[in-house]
Amino acid sequence: MLPIRPLPGYLVQRYHGWRATIWEDNRNWYRRLAEDGQRPRAMVIACCDSRVDVASIFGADSGELFIHRNVANLVPPYAPDGDHHGTSAAVEYAVETLRVANLIVMGHSRCGGVQGCYDMCAGHAPQLEEKTSFVGRWMDILRPAYAKVLDVPEAERVPALEKLAVLTGIDNLLSFPFVTAAVEEGRLSLHGVWNDIGEGGLESYDSTTESWNAV
């Protein structure tokens, strides 16, 4: 028998509150989504961090955003080796099946995953170096970017690495043939943004000036 228990009471109460208000007020829209399927205009690859509420930040309703979340909003390079690739599968589905027009990689401040990568690379997190560490091996994707932040003041290194996580993701997205083809055909645009949790800020990367600018 699987050790599955009933939902915590507070979640059950919140569900019933949602069902009686938001769902009830928009029941026709939800039924239409169920019957007609989803047609999101954008995919967002964001962090698992519970403080980053993508739908809320962009004021999105159900059906508007195809959201994939993982530790530190990373994208692995294209590697069709037959193993399990949750992020790669989500990207493929969004681009090839849903044919989203925009693909956004969204980083954020105070990212625990990026901090872990920084500590690991600096030799302060030996537990993440273990082969058995799923977080450590996932953060290996960002490891090459560590050297790029060593020439900035120490207090600015982790925030800089957070933004490099976004750019690393976009660079890796371009290693997927179907992503590159969609971009070249003009049916897909790539975007990189970074959210300041405490201040509610949002910065977008401008590749022409190679700078981050407030939205």
Side-chain angles (χ1 to χ4, degrees), residues 40 47-48 77 91 95 111 143 146 156-157:
C47 184
C48 294
V91 170
V95 175
C111 181
R143 187 190 287 266
Y146 171 76
E156 301 174 14
R157 290 177 184 174

Side-chain angles (χ1 to χ4, degrees), residues 10-50:
Y10 78 96
L11 291 180
V12 173
Q13 291 177 354
R14 291 183 181 184
Y15 159 70
H16 285 296
W18 170 83
R19 184 70 163 72
T21 55
I22 296 174
W23 183 87
E24 184 63 32
D25 293 339
N26 300 277
R27 63 164 62 195
N28 291 335
W29 172 243
Y30 283 104
R31 286 172 176 167
R32 179 179 174 183
L33 285 175
E35 294 171 1
D36 297 344
Q38 61 173 323
R39 295 182 180 84
R41 290 184 291 177
M43 175 185 188
V44 181
I45 299 175
C47 184
C48 294
D49 196 304
S50 61

Side-chain angles (χ1 to χ4, degrees), residues 13 17 21 33 38 42 56 60-61 67 75-76 92 100 110 114 117 141 149 155-157 165 168 177 181-182 201 207:
Q13 291 177 354
T21 55
L33 285 175
Q38 61 173 323
S56 180
D61 291 326
I67 302 173
V75 179
E92 178 183 3
V100 296
R110 306 286 181 172
V114 173
C117 180
I141 297 171
V149 303
E156 301 174 14
R157 290 177 184 174
T168 296
S207 59

Side-chain angles (χ1 to χ4, degrees), residues 25-201:
D25 293 339
N26 300 277
R27 63 164 62 195
N28 291 335
W29 172 243
Y30 283 104
R31 286 172 176 167
R32 179 179 174 183
L33 285 175
E35 294 171 1
D36 297 344
Q38 61 173 323
R39 295 182 180 84
R41 290 184 291 177
M43 175 185 188
V44 181
I45 299 175
C47 184
C48 294
D49 196 304
S50 61
R51 299 168 295 177
V52 181
D53 189 342
V54 178
S56 180
I57 289 171
F58 291 114
D61 291 326
S62 296
E64 285 194 285
L65 296 176
F66 186 74
I67 302 173
H68 176 76
R69 306 182 72 148
N70 63 49
V71 174
N73 44 264
L74 294 178
V75 179
Y78 180 69
D81 52 18
D83 291 336
H84 298 294
H85 293 293
T87 298
S88 301
V91 170
E92 178 183 3
Y93 189 77
V95 175
E96 296 287 83
T97 301
L98 298 177
R99 298 181 75 82
V100 296
N102 298 281
L103 207 170
I104 304 160
V105 179
M106 183 174 181
H108 68 94
S109 62
R110 306 286 181 172
C111 181
V114 173
Q115 180 70 58
C117 180
Y118 182 85
D119 293 342
M120 177 177 67
C121 293
H124 302 315
Q127 72 279 9
L128 296 180
E129 295 282 9
E130 298 292 333
K131 291 183 178 180
T132 54
S133 172
F134 292 109
V135 173
R137 303 295 62 74
W138 180 247
M139 297 315 300
D140 281 342
I141 297 171
L142 185 57
R143 187 190 287 266
Y146 171 76
K148 298 179 182 180
V149 303
L150 296 180
D151 59 350
V152 301
E154 187 172 358
E156 301 174 14
R157 290 177 184 174
V158 173
L161 193 59
E162 289 167 354
K163 292 179 178 179
L164 282 173
V166 174
L167 300 184
T168 296
I170 293 177
D171 190 46
N172 285 343
L173 280 172
L174 291 171
S175 70
F176 289 73
F178 52 84
V179 171
T180 300
V183 170
E184 291 176 347
E185 292 167 9
R187 66 176 180 87
L188 177 67
S189 296
L190 304 180
H191 311 272
V193 299
W194 178 84
N195 169 231
D196 185 329
I197 294 175
E199 299 300 321

Side-chain angles (χ1 to χ4, degrees), residues 166-167 170 192-193 203-213:
V166 174
L167 300 184
I170 293 177
V193 299
E203 296 181 16
S204 178
Y205 186 75
D206 185 340
S207 59
T208 60
T209 60
E210 297 186 342
S211 62
W212 291 87
N213 305 303

